[in-house]
Amino acid sequence: MQRLTNDDPESWLNAISIWKNLLELDAKKVKLSQKNANPLKRKVGENDIIAKKLKTERMQEIQEKKECQLEKQIEEETLEQGNFTTKRDKSQEELQNGGAEAVDTHNQNDLTFRVSCRCSGAIAKTFTAQEVGRVIGIALMKQFGWKADLRNPNLEIFIHLSDIYSVVGIPVFRVPLASRAYIKTAGLRSTVAWAMASLAEIKAGAVVLDPMCGLGTILLEAAKEWPDVYYVGADVSDSQLLGACDNLKAAGLKDKIELLKVSVIELPLPSESVDIIISDIPFGKKFKLGKDIKHIIQEMERVLRVGGTIVLLLSEDHQRRLKGCEESSVPLNSKGSRTDKPGSTECLNPEGKAAISEPVSSSFAASNQECLDRMPPLGSLVPVECYRVSLGKTDALIYKYKKSHSPGQ
Amino acid sequence: MKLLTHNLLSSHVRGVGPRGFPLRLQATEVRISPVEFNPDFVARMIPKVEWAALLEAADTLHLVEVPKEPIQGYEHDERFLRKMHHVLLEVDVLEGTLQCPESGRLFPISRGIPNMLLSDEETET
């Protein structure tokens, strides 16, 4: 660990100077307006992408003897919106106390720092978090001459070692990435909502539907990022729609997002009238899914135009049901579904469509490929991508499909 | 509910099919509020508009200066786009009803949100 830490002092110093620049940007913006750092988030996102590109080039040179790969990277929005677990998210919330006050140090040697460490998986059996933290902290002190300050450091260094990856990072934001000033009541975590919206390939002039919008979280994120689009949200619950209304008002997006009180299995829209569908399908924990998931997807498929994209957030339960339906000919309909006839196959017949798997260009290709392989085609919906995300207590899957042809062709 | 939305909605009562469009609009409370004009967005919506339905709805609401059809080169005609922008996006029906032209079923609009939930008997399989 010491060797890895001291191996490449250059990249440490680079990371820190980038971090400082971002903080100065932050400090300036804070002085300009008392509003939250949300506009800043977007800008910082851009800088971070550039920073990340530089870093990954450097990364290739780092030798690893251990199985896990040590990557040095700045915690950033782009990573967050990918397919990462939210363990990092939680740790970020924990790290808020360290914070990042405007750094006035001119000289890197004056930095006080603290190392926060989290170990999970196999490595947690060998080392405790404190031990790892201490080793790395001492290595850093020797290398750079920084002073340790456990109570109120300038710089917080966060380390997470798990079975899948090793991360060394410097938190840039004081608040969790998912916090939004413009949302009064949050439903789905905003970062996951944004990730889904970004997968949906939203283009100007598109018609985007969320047929189970709840409090409208996904539509809000999408509308903030892709404003020249016509958004429609639908839900069966009055209270949810009222909450969504409030959120829209708070965000100033009342003119961009229309709400309807309709049921997802009976959408009052003509067939093939919607370009994009993004939806968080109720897991059954907070809200009950009254209808069968297959019926829901069938109706969504109907209103989606050919070539349109659909991005869904599913629980593992849903995935199992969908997959099970494809494999067996016995309909897996939930009880009380009045449209079922005994013995008939209500399953969406894939009609021999092979799954198209596109190359997944993330460092978690292996687990995502496996995820992709388990995606069943649904009628004319062809699987494109699949990501596993953590929602805190549970895991979920983001499925992306494209409609390849009209059903019945 | 904006007229752009009305233009997209169709009745899903059992057996009605494509004759469920367009829904007949009746409004008891309408609000006209300014919306930021985005010519690009309006231009992209024009090809999606069902004109007969739009004109009928605009007529019911006694709107004036509604273009009867898309004109040549509308993408660059600001006057045209502004008129369409007004009709499609700046008129908000807060209270009223939508009626299925085939079955006569009424769907209420309340606080700007149309309620189109159907009872079990009414839905198509």
Side-chain angles (χ1 to χ4, degrees):
Chain A
M1 275 192 281
Q2 264 177 343
R3 189 178 48 74
L4 283 169
T5 313
N6 294 330
D7 199 0
D8 192 1
E10 266 298 297
S11 46
W12 280 101
L13 294 173
N14 278 330
I16 286 167
S17 64
I18 292 172
W19 167 78
K20 268 208 225 156
N21 287 337
L22 292 174
L23 284 181
E24 277 161 17
L25 196 68
D26 192 2
K28 272 189 216 143
K29 290 260 172 142
V30 167
K31 281 179 200 143
L32 285 174
S33 70
Q34 292 299 65
K35 291 185 188 161
N36 70 316
N38 193 53
L40 172 64
K41 274 193 201 141
R42 306 288 171 208
K43 219 174 174 205
V44 167
E46 285 163 49
N47 291 339
D48 287 337
I49 296 167
I50 302 167
K52 192 196 176 197
K53 287 201 186 115
L54 292 172
K55 293 241 135 276
T56 42
E57 280 162 52
R58 220 172 288 262
M59 237 52 73
Q60 260 103 53
E61 305 163 82
I62 298 177
Q63 302 284 331
E64 347 91 26
K65 280 203 180 156
K66 301 195 180 176
E67 278 133 74
C68 38
Q69 189 177 9
L70 190 65
E71 287 178 277
K72 292 174 186 156
Q73 51 202 36
I74 298 178
E75 303 273 89
E76 66 228 49
E77 229 179 348
T78 46
L79 285 181
E80 187 70 344
Q81 270 105 35
N83 43 359
F84 285 57
T85 67
T86 53
K87 278 188 198 150
R88 190 176 309 164
D89 233 24
K90 275 203 221 134
S91 318
Q92 269 225 272
E93 290 169 41
E94 284 169 26
L95 296 171
Q96 295 331 304
N97 325 311
E101 309 290 332
V103 176
D104 287 329
T105 53
H106 302 294
N107 191 345
Q108 297 225 346
N109 291 340
D110 289 351
L111 276 183
T112 58
F113 78 110
R114 170 173 73 194
V115 175
S116 299
C117 193
R118 178 191 281 246
C119 298
S120 64
I123 213 165
K125 298 178 188 140
T126 338
F127 299 110
T128 65
Q130 288 96 325
E131 286 174 331
V132 179
R134 208 179 313 132
V135 169
I136 301 200
I138 293 173
L140 288 173
M141 279 203 286
K142 288 208 178 118
Q143 174 86 294
F144 298 109
W146 300 332
K147 300 206 172 48
D149 181 343
L150 293 175
R151 230 163 280 159
N152 211 4
N154 298 129
L155 178 68
E156 179 117 35
I157 299 189
F158 162 61
I159 299 171
H160 185 182
L161 302 174
S162 76
D163 287 333
I164 313 175
Y165 51 70
S166 308
V167 176
V168 176
I170 302 173
V172 182
F173 297 122
R174 296 182 189 202
V175 293
L177 283 175
S179 69
R180 299 283 185 270
Y182 51 79
I183 294 190
K184 268 187 107 181
T185 327
L188 179 65
R189 186 167 222 140
S190 301
T191 42
V192 179
W194 190 96
M196 293 174 70
S198 67
L199 283 172
E201 300 176 24
I202 300 177
K203 299 195 175 63
V207 176
V208 177
L209 170 70
D210 182 349
M212 289 176 281
C213 67
L215 296 166
T217 319
I218 298 176
L219 295 172
L220 282 172
E221 287 300 306
K224 279 276 179 184
E225 192 77 32
W226 295 273
D228 296 337
V229 171
Y230 176 49
Y231 293 101
V232 180
D235 205 286
V236 293
S237 154
D238 268 326
S239 55
Q240 291 287 291
L241 285 172
L242 275 174
C245 230
D246 277 346
N247 280 338
L248 296 186
K249 275 203 202 106
L253 289 172
K254 278 231 82 176
D255 295 319
K256 294 238 169 279
I257 304 175
E258 286 271 87
L259 295 174
L260 302 172
K261 186 169 175 187
V262 298
S263 165
V264 62
I265 55 165
E266 293 291 347
L267 293 171
L269 300 167
S271 300
E272 306 197 1
S273 54
V274 173
D275 297 305
I276 291 168
I277 296 180
I278 315 177
S279 198
D280 167 14
I281 305 204
F283 287 21
K285 295 221 165 67
K286 227 180 161 193
F287 298 103
K288 291 221 82 187
L289 194 67
K291 335 287 178 187
D292 200 331
I293 189 171
K294 295 185 310 305
H295 285 117
I296 292 176
I297 296 191
Q298 261 171 331
E299 184 69 346
M300 294 200 278
E301 183 192 351
R302 179 185 71 82
V303 300
L304 189 66
R305 67 163 177 81
V306 175
T309 310
I310 183 168
V311 179
L312 300 171
L313 186 70
L314 302 168
S315 69
E316 291 182 306
D317 222 20
H318 290 143
Q319 182 199 44
R320 237 171 282 134
R321 269 198 228 137
L322 285 177
K323 191 107 224 297
C325 164
E326 185 221 313
E327 281 164 353
S328 71
S329 57
V330 175
L332 287 174
N333 292 315
S334 49
K335 330 147 209 162
S337 181
R338 56 181 167 75
T339 54
D340 294 339
K341 296 194 185 99
S344 67
T345 314
E346 296 282 359
C347 299
L348 297 166
N349 189 343
E351 292 177 274
K353 275 223 105 54
I356 297 173
S357 58
E358 292 184 4
V360 179
S361 56
S362 74
S363 32
F364 296 86
S367 67
N368 283 329
Q369 186 56 49
E370 176 209 305
C371 183
L372 188 68
D373 289 337
R374 288 157 70 194
M375 274 173 92
L378 304 166
S380 63
L381 297 177
V382 169
V384 173
E385 284 176 298
C386 167
Y387 295 101
R388 180 172 283 271
V389 290
S390 167
L391 300 176
K393 291 202 187 122
T394 50
D395 266 7
L397 299 146
I398 297 181
Y399 273 11
K400 173 175 167 177
Y401 285 91
K402 268 211 197 274
K403 182 162 171 179
S404 67
H405 61 264
S406 295
Q409 273 177 3
Chain B
M1 183 202 68
K2 297 182 196 293
L3 290 187
L4 181 56
T5 305
H6 167 262
N7 205 252
L8 209 57
L9 292 174
S10 92
S11 165
H12 229 239
V13 173
R14 184 198 291 270
V16 153
R19 295 180 307 280
F21 180 89
L23 294 164
R24 279 194 209 111
L25 175 64
Q26 278 293 329
T28 50
E29 193 183 327
V30 178
R31 182 181 59 204
I32 312 240
S33 48
V35 170
E36 193 184 323
F37 175 56
N38 187 329
D40 259 338
F41 176 69
V42 181
R44 283 180 209 270
M45 289 292 124
I46 302 289
K48 303 189 202 236
V49 170
E50 292 284 340
W51 285 87
L54 180 65
L55 293 176
E56 198 184 304
D59 201 45
T60 319
L61 299 179
H62 308 296
L63 297 178
V64 292
E65 290 223 38
V66 181
K68 297 279 181 281
E69 60 192 357
I71 60 179
Q72 270 280 349
Y74 66 81
E75 298 96 328
H76 311 291
D77 188 331
E78 191 181 311
R79 272 192 70 216
F80 174 84
L81 290 176
R82 275 195 186 271
K83 285 191 203 164
M84 291 307 295
H85 167 83
H86 176 78
V87 173
L88 290 170
L89 302 171
E90 291 187 328
V91 180
D92 208 346
V93 178
L94 296 175
E95 302 286 331
T97 57
L98 294 167
Q99 185 175 39
C100 170
E102 181 74 7
S103 70
R105 188 5 174 134
L106 285 169
F107 301 101
I109 304 172
S110 164
R111 298 166 117 120
I113 300 178
N115 177 348
M116 302 195 65
L117 287 176
L118 295 171
S119 66
D120 284 352
E121 299 83 49
E122 289 174 298
T123 53
E124 291 181 306
T125 36

